[in-house]
Amino acid sequence: MSSGEPLLSSLASHQDSLKPPPRPLPTQSTSLNCLCTNSSFSSSTYEDCETRFSKFSNGEAFTSIGELNRNESDLSQVTGRFHSADSHFFQSFRVECPPEEKPTHHVDWSVMDRPAGDSAIEIPIASTRQDKPNKSQHVRHKSGLQEDPFSSEYEPRLVYINDPRRTNDKYEFTGNEIRTSKYTFITFLPKNLFIQFHRLAYVYFLVIAALNQLPPLAVFGRTASLFPLLFVLFVTAIKDGYEDWRRHRSDRKENNREALVLQSGEFRMKKWKNICVGEVVKIDADETIPCDIVLLGTSDPNGIAYIQTMNLDGESNLKTRYARQELICMVTENLYSGLIRCEQPNRNIYEFTAAMEFNGHRVPLGQSNIVLRGCQLKNTEWMIGVVVYAGQETKAMLNSTASPSKSSNLESYMNRETLWLSLFLFVICAVVAAGMGIWLINHTDQLDTLPYYRKKYFGHDDGKDFKYYGLGMEIFFSFLSSVIIFQIMIPISLYITMELVRLGQSYFMIGDRHMYDASSNSRFQCRSLNINEDLGQIRYVFSDKTGTLTENKMEFRKASIFSKDYGESLQDVGAPLHEITSSGPLTRQSSSKSEISIDSELARLLQRDLVGEERIAAHEFFLTLAACNTVIPVPLDDPFGGHSEARSIEYQGESPDEQALVTAASAYGYRLVERTTGHLAIDVHGERTRLDVIGLHEFDSVRKRMSVVVRFPNNRVKVLVKGADNSMLSILNSDTGNEVNNLLQSKIREVTESHLTNYSSQGLRTLVLGSRDLNEIEFKEWQEQYEEASTSIHDRTAKLRQAASLIECDLTLLGATGIEDKLQEGVPEPIESLRQAGIKVWVLTGDKQETAISIGLSCWLLTQEMQQIIINGTSESECRRLLSEAKERFLIRSGDGIGRNGSMKGAYDPKMAHVNDDSPGFGAAPLALIIDGTSLVYILDKDLESELLFELATSCKVVLCCRVAPLQKAGIVDLIKSRTCDMTLAIGDGANDVSMIQMADVGVGICGQEGRQAVMASDFAMGQFRFLKRLLLVHGHWNYQRVGYLVLYNFYRNAVFVLMLFWYILYTAYSATSALTDWSSVFYSLIYTSLPTIVVGILDKDLSHKTLLHYPKLYQAGHRHESYNFQLFWITMLDTLWQSLVIFYVPYFTFSNTCIDIWSLGSLWTLVVVILVNVHLAMDTRRWVFITHVAIWGSIVITFISMVLIDSIPVFPNYGTIYNIGTSLTYWITILLIIILGLLPRFLGKVIYQMLWPTDIQIAREAEILRKIIPKQREMRP
């Protein structure tokens, strides 16, 4: 220990009699030397680092911090991609004090070396800025990075408290009125049309309609050609207008809400939209915050306010915000004045940097001192604050942007086929135009006498002259007329149909009761409607561990104290809510949301007098657990009417790990009962003491630890530290000046490290605790630098990190903890099913390697027979060597061909990676790759190493990445995306998973314990990992099969109609005339055949959900592209060609010797093509329900009724056609013959193919049918 004297040996003494030492005046000290003798961090090192770092961010060096206003965002962005700038610099830039011996294990400053969820006190940062690697790292930017609020081009915002006019004297700040609507009454029509015509489909419609208005190209009636475009524009405008009207209504309601604002010395009601920056606002309990305000005071004497941020980040747990103790006098004396210098408005809701000048003092302000718009005040009677951001400049409004949209993989293939159809359209239009030119050349001398070309119409003396434009223009006009007639060859309606089908699919996915999580009362969410079918083609699943595979509900299980392991004999101690009475004995424990188990031996040790090294070590251990955290104790009302000292306490904290540790400390008698910005109170077995909090260094991804500097009642100043083992063990004190003590500490450290390894192997999350006494010189030097850093507007985080390095060194080891994070219910079964489905599951976690391996074994990700390849490199050359050796050992080699199903983008072939089974050590067992984040730092940036990693990883059944940072998670996903066409899915629950979720083709968020950042950034969201099995194997399979068939069917449906018209035009002198009425052509895709397509696309099922879940390998049909591929497309086009020939030539030969007119023939073609495509759809429909019958057969009936109505209008040229031709038996026999001849080849082909080359889906479907038939036959037997 640091000393033989207990920390609280003077608890009985009166605290008021002990005055802290006088506070030293701040000096302009430039010495940044580490206080530790063995520190590698020096003033010269820091200055050199500062100078070199400035070159990255600003292009020129500087010699002092004040010369340049840099920010944390600059630092994060540069360090996040350090390996492309100056990796050696960041490797040497360290802020910890490593021991003199074994200085080989370096903790890198890079954000890329940051564990995503490794320690109990991790605060995710990557998602707050949603950083992504640049393209040089093979990582695409999916969304715009948030602006840099700290760069030198921004000047601090000056806010004069209670003086809004002076604050906004230049009228540069916006008011508090918000506007989320897009349109006004005047701008609605032009702006809405402008937005709609951003869709190429609408532009295509517009061009076709415009061409049809020209006299030489008036193929259809001018009104009929405009109808589809006007209908779509009108419906979309109505929808957009209604949505915007609702936004206007919501904006008016929001802007006209009222809040108490200080006016003329008293608080009066004022509408939100009229509140200005600089005004003082008072918020009562349960009211919503109108703008971003800095706290000045609350109803709590300590200045604490409890805030619910659900409207902002979706987190339901209460957050604590503080009013600085120096500012509370403003509220008590009702004198509001001062100046706030804060950063410019930005989107980062997790950081705030400012300083207040008040009464000659400079008071630092941070994220814990600001309350954001949209939050609600809870459990606090009132609070008062000053407005710093208002209206559109509030962080909530700056963050109100949609997630980046993703496009479907199948849609990209569909676009390829659309290009082929466009080429085909050009060819047939060119054929018609060429035919027209040849015909005109052959009949040049007859143009004045031939119909349609004679100069005067017969029978009309006043008839207009026919205008002949010449051969070239006539050919050109013929080409354009053909484009108008054949316009539906390009399936514009398909895009609208797909949106409706996806919407219907999402409705049933959301309503699936099997994906409802009762524990969190959350159902499945579809946050993106563009990629439903991609769920059926996933090959790689990238999963977080904590909160995704595990519950993220931490429970204290193990403790290593003074080289002794505790936790083997745990005993449950009572009800879900516990309390400690002031009587002293460990009766009922501190409040907690879960059962608390304690070690009886450790509990007996803590009941003994505070004498002996082991007892003192245990005392300091639990004191650190209770004090070194950001948890807030919230007293609960005592249902038994007990006095306030014995009230139950609920611990509120943003980290489940911290809550578990504080709850455990309370269970063992170290009860945190009060926390403010200036002090905390701990009840130690009934004796309450107050510790003054002098400074707090929160956890960050660089240091991987947190520390608190406290002053004890006996005036001793001590720093208490906890953090990840790899960051703590390197800063322990190795030389205490006493040889005996050195041997003891060395032994304690050795045993503790073995305990840590044991905890990790059991799947526990580990933390190491340490402490250190500060002498007066050390304390003063740290305090000066800490105060300067705390009040700095720019580079505050970097300066605080530097200040922390002064005291986070030469620590005395107090012990280690092991926290259990249990697996979620039903996790192993989905992982095994996904593996059987041909999906590779990769786990990316920030935990220790041993912890991750243990969890991997327990969730069946890893198996005992797997060969484990472990890559733990500490340099670029070592990583290259380890990767190469692994490839050679297991005979993994790169192939020269393309990958499976043509999915590879590069030259590597996963098939070739799996060498023959005779290879020693390879064919006998599957491979599992385990790699740590440090190795990935050296690998992901280098093309050679990345290629080696890719070849090795894709040859393994399982990949487990440990100690990885959020950006590394995105980099691993992109490693697959950039080299293959395989579909990737990322699933996570925390803010540190956002980068990975947005990088993957499909992102899934878990509604877990770490808020809703992952959910808000995801495409789909659900309550438990186990639902992923049903999402992919059932809904993914159904959606892919439905949409794949939908695309092919739409191509077929439109092409058969176009080809039918094309054959007719060949027999009408290439004149671009049509036998069909204008309205029949318009209604074909809009009414006659649209509804069956949508219904089947939503409801059709090839297999039941039970079969799909029981046989996961059926999912591989999506990997083989069985529902949609290039070969199927051309087979469908050949079938289309045959059916169009049958439709045209059967009536042609049947009525060739009759006097049937063109409109009667057109009536037959209209009806028969609708019947044919619907019967075609019926042949392929696997699931028949009532609405399916109504849609398919009802469409045929509606078509016939529409034809009767159209033929009943006297002004139309086809008046009465259906009444004459419909009475002919030949008419109906012809229709029946066309249907039989048209569908016969397709029917025979399906039968032969299913009998000789059945697919897995067809076999499973036959088995389903047999299971239904056989029981019925048995029931019918006597």
Side-chain angles (χ1 to χ4, degrees):
M1 298 297 101
S2 57
S3 67
E5 180 184 359
L7 295 180
L8 299 183
S9 59
S10 304
L11 293 183
S13 61
H14 197 277
Q15 297 180 15
D16 295 336
S17 64
L18 299 175
K19 297 182 180 180
R23 183 174 174 178
L25 294 175
T27 60
Q28 299 296 326
S29 173
T30 58
S31 174
L32 303 178
N33 291 331
C34 185
L35 298 175
C36 311
T37 57
N38 60 348
S39 172
S40 62
F41 189 93
S42 65
S43 175
S44 60
T45 303
Y46 182 77
E47 290 171 1
D48 178 63
C49 294
E50 284 286 284
T51 303
R52 297 172 66 186
F53 180 71
S54 67
K55 296 178 182 179
F56 299 129
S57 56
N58 299 288
E60 59 183 14
F62 62 95
T63 56
S64 66
I65 298 174
E67 292 181 21
L68 180 63
N69 294 332
R70 290 185 290 107
N71 60 12
E72 183 194 356
S73 180
D74 289 337
L75 178 62
S76 300
Q77 291 176 12
V78 176
T79 55
R81 54 180 182 268
F82 69 96
H83 42 276
S84 58
D86 193 347
S87 60
H88 299 291
F89 154 60
F90 285 99
Q91 292 171 26
S92 63
F93 189 18
R94 304 172 60 202
V95 293
E96 57 189 39
C97 307
E100 295 178 356
E101 69 277 9
K102 300 180 182 178
T104 56
H105 183 73
H106 295 279
V107 180
D108 199 60
W109 255 72
S110 167
V111 176
M112 290 290 290
D113 195 26
R114 166 186 187 271
D118 70 319
S119 72
I121 51 175
E122 177 181 0
I123 301 174
I125 8 182
S127 64
T128 65
R129 290 181 291 271
Q130 297 184 6
D131 297 332
K132 292 182 182 295
N134 54 30
K135 289 184 178 180
S136 66
Q137 297 168 273
H138 308 294
V139 180
R140 308 176 186 89
H141 288 268
K142 287 282 187 163
S143 61
L145 293 176
Q146 298 174 10
E147 68 273 9
D148 183 358
F150 299 95
S151 63
S152 57
E153 62 185 275
Y154 290 105
E155 294 296 329
R157 167 173 286 202
L158 303 181
V159 178
Y160 295 90
I161 300 175
N162 199 26
D163 193 350
R165 289 191 177 182
R166 186 180 179 187
T167 299
N168 198 22
D169 57 347
K170 297 182 182 179
Y171 301 99
E172 57 184 340
F173 302 154
T174 63
N176 198 42
E177 183 176 5
I178 64 168
R179 179 181 173 185
T180 60
S181 57
K182 294 182 180 179
Y183 314 106
T184 64
F185 183 79
I186 298 176
T187 63
F188 174 74
L189 186 60
K191 191 173 182 179
N192 183 260
L193 289 176
F194 178 77
I195 292 175
Q196 288 199 58
F197 279 107
H198 273 71
R199 301 175 181 175
L200 294 179
Y202 292 1
V203 176
Y204 180 83
F205 270 126
L206 180 63
V207 171
I208 295 298
L211 290 175
N212 198 71
Q213 304 307 307
L214 301 177
L217 304 176
V219 177
F220 297 131
R222 296 180 178 178
T223 304
S225 64
L226 288 173
F227 179 78
L229 178 62
L230 294 177
F231 176 79
V232 173
L233 291 176
F234 177 76
V235 171
T236 306
I238 293 295
K239 176 184 73 69
D240 293 343
Y242 174 71
E243 292 177 351
D244 204 62
W245 173 77
R246 293 180 62 184
R247 294 192 193 100
H248 273 285
R249 184 179 62 179
S250 175
D251 290 346
R252 283 195 300 270
K253 181 180 179 181
E254 187 81 359
N255 290 326
N256 290 321
R257 296 173 71 173
E258 294 183 336
L260 289 171
V261 178
L262 186 64
Q263 305 174 71
S264 302
E266 61 181 19
F267 288 99
R268 299 176 184 174
M269 300 302 293
K270 190 175 185 179
K271 290 185 177 180
W272 279 19
K273 64 181 179 182
N274 298 325
I275 298 176
C276 303
V277 175
E279 289 188 313
V280 178
V281 180
K282 182 178 181 180
I283 308 297
D284 292 325
D286 298 323
E287 288 186 349
T288 304
I289 313 301
C291 37
D292 295 352
I293 63 177
V294 168
L295 276 177
L296 300 177
T298 71
S299 57
D300 185 87
N302 297 314
I304 299 177
Y306 297 99
I307 304 298
Q308 187 178 71
T309 61
M310 182 176 292
N311 294 334
L312 193 63
D313 58 14
E315 298 185 21
S316 58
N317 57 319
L318 297 182
K319 311 291 192 307
T320 52
R321 297 294 182 263
Y322 305 90
R324 296 285 304 189
Q325 295 292 323
E326 299 91 333
L327 308 179
I328 295 180
C329 62
M330 277 193 192
V331 178
T332 57
E333 299 174 4
N334 200 27
L335 295 175
Y336 300 95
S337 63
L339 171 64
I340 296 177
R341 298 177 185 270
C342 61
E343 61 191 4
Q344 293 294 328
N346 60 84
R347 297 179 181 178
N348 196 340
I349 64 175
Y350 299 103
E351 290 184 7
F352 175 68
T353 305
M356 180 185 293
E357 297 175 4
F358 174 67
N359 288 344
H361 298 282
R362 187 176 175 89
V363 181
L365 300 173
Q367 189 262 344
S368 61
N369 307 121
I370 188 172
V371 183
L372 305 183
R373 180 187 179 117
C375 301
Q376 286 186 322
L377 183 64
K378 297 290 184 181
N379 296 350
T380 309
E381 188 176 343
W382 54 262
M383 74 176 199
I384 295 176
V386 58
V387 179
V388 289
Y389 306 122
Q392 300 294 139
E393 294 181 339
T394 58
K395 293 179 182 290
M397 295 304 298
L398 291 175
N399 276 282
S400 59
T401 56
S403 299
S405 59
K406 300 177 182 179
S407 59
S408 164
N409 187 45
L410 185 62
E411 196 168 320
S412 64
Y413 293 142
M414 182 186 76
N415 293 334
R416 178 191 63 189
E417 270 67 83
T418 302
L419 291 177
W420 280 103
L421 291 178
S422 301
L423 179 62
F424 182 71
L425 174 64
F426 178 84
V427 170
I428 62 176
C429 290
V431 169
V432 173
M436 168 63 75
I438 295 172
W439 190 90
L440 287 175
I441 292 173
N442 294 335
H443 299 81
T444 303
D445 299 335
Q446 307 173 16
L447 293 181
D448 290 337
T449 58
L450 287 173
Y452 302 106
Y453 288 97
R454 55 180 174 262
K455 294 199 173 180
K456 292 289 185 181
Y457 289 101
F458 292 149
H460 298 277
D461 295 335
D462 57 346
K464 60 183 179 180
D465 292 340
F466 173 79
K467 187 175 181 181
Y468 181 68
Y469 294 93
L471 181 63
M473 291 303 296
E474 289 292 339
I475 293 175
F476 179 67
F477 288 150
S478 176
F479 180 86
L480 294 181
S481 299
S482 302
V483 172
I484 297 173
I485 295 175
F486 304 145
Q487 59 180 290
I488 66 170
M489 174 64 80
I490 308 300
I492 301 301
S493 60
L494 174 58
Y495 294 93
I496 301 174
T497 303
M498 288 180 68
E499 288 186 11
L500 295 175
V501 167
R502 288 165 174 164
L503 182 64
Q505 292 173 351
S506 300
Y507 172 79
F508 287 103
M509 291 166 66
I510 293 172
D512 190 342
R513 59 184 179 86
H514 296 288
M515 294 196 294
Y516 170 76
D517 182 30
S519 60
S520 60
N521 192 27
S522 59
R523 61 179 182 176
F524 184 81
Q525 301 177 39
C526 287
R527 302 178 58 84
S528 174
L529 300 180
N530 300 328
I531 54 176
N532 289 357
E533 59 273 19
D534 284 349
L535 294 171
Q537 294 182 285
I538 301 298
R539 280 191 181 272
Y540 289 89
V541 170
F542 300 90
S543 175
D544 178 39
K545 184 188 76 67
T546 304
T548 304
L549 300 179
T550 61
E551 294 181 350
N552 201 18
K553 295 179 180 178
M554 311 302 175
E555 187 170 349
F556 186 88
R557 283 294 181 186
K558 294 278 190 176
S560 175
I561 304 173
F562 205 71
S563 71
K564 191 168 184 179
D565 186 10
Y566 295 98
E568 297 296 336
S569 56
L570 294 178
Q571 297 179 355
D572 186 24
V573 294
L577 282 179
H578 313 280
E579 67 183 23
I580 300 176
T581 64
S582 57
S583 57
L586 191 65
T587 54
R588 291 182 294 170
Q589 310 305 316
S590 67
S591 64
S592 151
K593 291 294 185 182
S594 61
E595 297 278 339
I596 302 173
S597 300
I598 65 173
D599 186 282
S600 57
E601 183 181 358
L602 181 56
R604 287 192 299 269
L605 172 64
L606 294 172
Q607 295 299 314
R608 288 162 26 189
D609 293 336
L610 201 57
V611 178
E613 289 188 343
E614 184 178 7
R615 175 65 180 91
I616 294 175
H619 170 76
E620 295 184 358
F621 177 89
F622 282 101
L623 197 67
T624 302
L625 285 185
C628 187
N629 54 73
T630 58
V631 171
I632 301 298
V634 181
L636 302 178
D637 294 333
D638 191 351
F640 303 104
H643 57 83
S644 60
E645 292 296 328
R647 282 191 301 172
S648 298
I649 292 178
E650 179 181 7
Y651 292 119
Q652 290 280 351
E654 300 182 22
S655 169
D657 304 73
E658 284 196 334
Q659 287 177 292
L661 293 174
V662 176
T663 300
S666 181
Y668 283 98
Y670 290 75
R671 185 188 190 205
L672 177 64
V673 294
E674 183 182 1
R675 179 186 293 277
T676 69
T677 55
H679 74 274
L680 56 87
I682 301 176
D683 186 312
V684 182
H685 298 303
E687 296 184 13
R688 178 165 174 159
T689 187
R690 167 174 166 154
L691 305 180
D692 293 328
V693 179
I694 305 174
L696 176 69
H697 292 282
E698 293 191 2
F699 178 89
D700 65 51
S701 61
V702 177
R703 293 162 41 247
K704 302 178 186 176
R705 53 184 176 264
M706 76 167 294
S707 60
V708 58
V709 179
V710 295
R711 188 191 306 277
F712 287 85
N714 59 2
N715 255 359
R716 291 178 58 193
V717 177
K718 202 173 187 70
V719 56
L720 309 177
V721 189
K722 70 177 180 183
D725 54 359
N726 60 349
S727 70
M728 290 289 293
L729 295 177
S730 61
I731 57 175
L732 297 179
N733 187 10
S734 59
D735 185 9
T736 62
N738 185 312
E739 185 176 353
V740 176
N741 198 19
N742 286 345
L743 292 175
L744 176 62
Q745 291 297 318
S746 177
K747 179 182 178 182
I748 292 175
R749 173 173 177 166
E750 182 181 348
V751 176
T752 302
E753 288 182 3
S754 67
H755 289 166
L756 286 169
T757 304
N758 183 38
Y759 296 166
S760 299
S761 64
Q762 298 177 36
L764 302 180
R765 296 163 63 87
T766 58
L767 276 180
V768 174
L769 281 66
S771 68
R772 177 183 172 214
D773 285 309
L774 298 179
N775 59 42
E776 185 175 355
I777 297 177
E778 294 170 339
F779 171 69
K780 285 182 179 180
E781 187 169 358
W782 167 82
Q783 189 177 39
E784 289 173 4
Q785 191 163 333
Y786 178 77
E787 290 180 354
E788 179 185 354
S790 299
T791 56
S792 175
I793 301 296
H794 304 288
D795 300 327
R796 177 179 293 184
T797 302
K799 293 177 182 178
L800 285 173
R801 190 178 297 136
Q802 175 193 346
S805 68
L806 300 178
I807 57 175
E808 292 178 351
C809 51
D810 285 342
L811 301 180
T812 298
L813 178 63
L814 298 180
T817 63
I819 303 176
E820 182 181 17
D821 187 10
K822 294 183 178 179
L823 281 177
Q824 290 184 10
E825 178 187 355
V827 166
E829 292 81 3
I831 290 180
E832 179 60 27
S833 295
L834 294 178
R835 182 183 288 122
Q836 293 179 20
I839 301 174
K840 290 188 176 183
V841 181
W842 293 17
V843 173
L844 316 177
T845 178
D847 279 335
K848 288 187 62 178
Q849 194 170 92
E850 295 83 0
T851 303
I853 292 175
S854 176
I855 294 294
L857 289 170
S858 61
C859 69
W860 301 356
L861 180 71
L862 299 174
T863 58
Q864 295 295 341
E865 64 271 11
M866 283 185 176
Q867 287 267 12
Q868 294 185 5
I869 305 174
I870 299 179
I871 307 294
N872 291 335
T874 57
S875 66
E876 181 182 334
S877 58
E878 185 179 1
C879 291
R880 185 187 300 112
R881 178 181 59 80
L882 291 174
L883 292 173
S884 301
E885 287 179 356
K887 285 189 62 180
E888 293 175 2
R889 177 186 175 190
F890 297 103
L891 302 181
I892 299 172
R893 57 189 177 87
S894 303
D896 297 326
I898 61 172
R900 52 178 174 263
N901 295 330
S903 65
M904 295 298 299
K905 292 182 179 178
Y908 176 66
D909 184 359
K911 286 183 178 179
M912 299 300 296
H914 298 275
V915 295
N916 57 67
D917 294 339
D918 297 332
S919 302
F922 180 74
L927 300 179
L929 175 63
I930 301 167
I931 186 170
D932 68 346
T934 304
S935 301
L936 292 175
V937 170
Y938 301 108
I939 292 174
L940 290 180
D941 180 50
K942 307 295 181 181
D943 291 337
L944 174 61
E945 284 77 1
S946 296
E947 195 66 30
L948 289 174
L949 175 63
F950 171 75
E951 295 168 3
L952 183 60
T954 51
S955 302
C956 298
K957 273 187 172 283
V958 173
V959 175
L960 189 58
C961 300
C962 317
R963 296 292 196 191
V964 290
L967 292 182
Q968 287 179 314
K969 291 184 178 183
I972 291 295
V973 175
D974 189 70
L975 184 71
I976 298 300
K977 284 189 63 178
S978 62
R979 289 170 171 81
T980 75
C981 291
D982 293 336
M983 299 300 296
T984 60
L985 180 146
I987 180 170
D989 74 314
N992 56 344
D993 301 317
V994 170
S995 299
M996 173 179 69
I997 287 174
Q998 292 188 339
M999 175 59 63
D1001 296 301
V1002 179
V1004 179
I1006 298 291
C1007 307
Q1009 305 293 318
E1010 295 189 10
R1012 294 175 58 84
Q1013 294 96 327
V1015 170
M1016 296 168 70
S1018 65
D1019 305 303
F1020 305 95
M1022 53 192 181
Q1024 296 282 333
F1025 177 85
R1026 57 189 170 92
F1027 299 148
L1028 186 63
K1029 175 182 176 180
R1030 185 173 182 87
L1031 175 64
L1032 297 183
L1033 302 189
V1034 178
H1035 292 287
H1037 173 85
W1038 284 343
N1039 293 342
Y1040 169 70
Q1041 174 265 326
R1042 292 163 177 166
V1043 176
Y1045 179 79
L1046 171 72
V1047 173
L1048 287 175
Y1049 177 78
N1050 272 268
F1051 286 151
Y1052 149 77
R1053 184 192 66 183
N1054 289 3
V1056 73
F1057 186 80
V1058 168
L1059 288 174
M1060 178 190 69
L1061 298 178
F1062 175 70
W1063 305 131
Y1064 175 77
I1065 288 177
L1066 297 183
Y1067 285 87
T1068 56
Y1070 309 95
S1071 57
T1073 58
S1074 176
L1076 277 63
T1077 64
D1078 298 342
W1079 293 106
S1080 294
S1081 300
V1082 171
F1083 288 161
Y1084 176 74
S1085 295
L1086 197 63
I1087 297 176
Y1088 296 165
T1089 59
S1090 60
L1091 185 59
T1093 310
I1094 297 172
V1095 171
V1096 173
I1098 296 174
L1099 299 178
D1100 194 33
K1101 296 179 182 179
D1102 56 350
L1103 292 168
S1104 68
H1105 68 98
K1106 294 182 179 179
T1107 301
L1108 292 172
L1109 291 174
H1110 193 263
Y1111 301 104
K1113 289 186 178 180
L1114 295 173
Y1115 182 82
Q1116 296 181 18
H1119 296 164
R1120 296 187 293 268
H1121 304 279
E1122 289 185 1
S1123 294
Y1124 185 90
N1125 55 60
F1126 203 48
Q1127 181 182 3
L1128 268 180
F1129 170 76
W1130 287 113
I1131 291 175
T1132 302
M1133 290 299 103
L1134 289 176
D1135 188 31
T1136 302
L1137 179 64
W1138 164 256
Q1139 292 187 27
S1140 66
L1141 290 171
V1142 171
I1143 292 174
F1144 176 78
Y1145 281 104
V1146 169
Y1148 176 80
F1149 289 115
T1150 301
F1151 297 100
S1152 58
N1153 296 323
T1154 65
C1155 59
I1156 188 172
D1157 67 299
I1158 185 176
W1159 302 115
S1160 298
L1161 202 57
S1163 174
L1164 184 149
W1165 279 330
T1166 301
L1167 184 60
V1168 76
V1169 72
V1170 172
I1171 295 176
L1172 183 68
V1173 297
N1174 278 285
V1175 174
H1176 178 112
L1177 180 63
M1179 285 178 58
D1180 295 334
T1181 300
R1182 274 70 62 91
R1183 184 193 183 212
W1184 287 91
V1185 293
F1186 176 75
I1187 191 173
T1188 309
H1189 286 285
V1190 171
I1192 293 178
W1193 313 125
S1195 293
I1196 298 175
V1197 174
I1198 290 175
T1199 301
F1200 185 78
I1201 294 174
S1202 299
M1203 291 176 58
V1204 171
L1205 293 177
I1206 293 174
D1207 289 357
S1208 300
I1209 301 176
V1211 297
F1212 286 172
N1214 55 306
Y1215 174 65
T1217 300
I1218 193 67
Y1219 298 101
N1220 296 326
I1221 192 88
T1223 58
S1224 170
L1225 181 62
T1226 306
Y1227 178 82
W1228 298 107
I1229 293 177
T1230 302
I1231 292 177
L1232 181 62
L1233 182 61
I1234 291 173
I1235 294 172
I1236 294 175
L1237 290 178
L1239 297 178
L1240 184 61
R1242 179 175 183 81
F1243 175 77
L1244 293 176
K1246 291 184 67 173
V1247 170
I1248 294 173
Y1249 189 82
Q1250 188 164 341
M1251 290 180 65
L1252 299 181
W1253 304 283
T1255 64
D1256 294 341
I1257 301 295
Q1258 293 167 347
I1259 295 173
R1261 181 165 177 78
E1262 291 179 5
E1264 269 191 356
I1265 297 174
L1266 290 175
R1267 282 198 298 268
K1268 295 178 182 178
I1269 295 177
I1270 292 177
K1272 293 181 180 180
Q1273 293 177 343
R1274 290 176 178 175
E1275 292 177 0
M1276 296 175 61
R1277 292 177 182 175

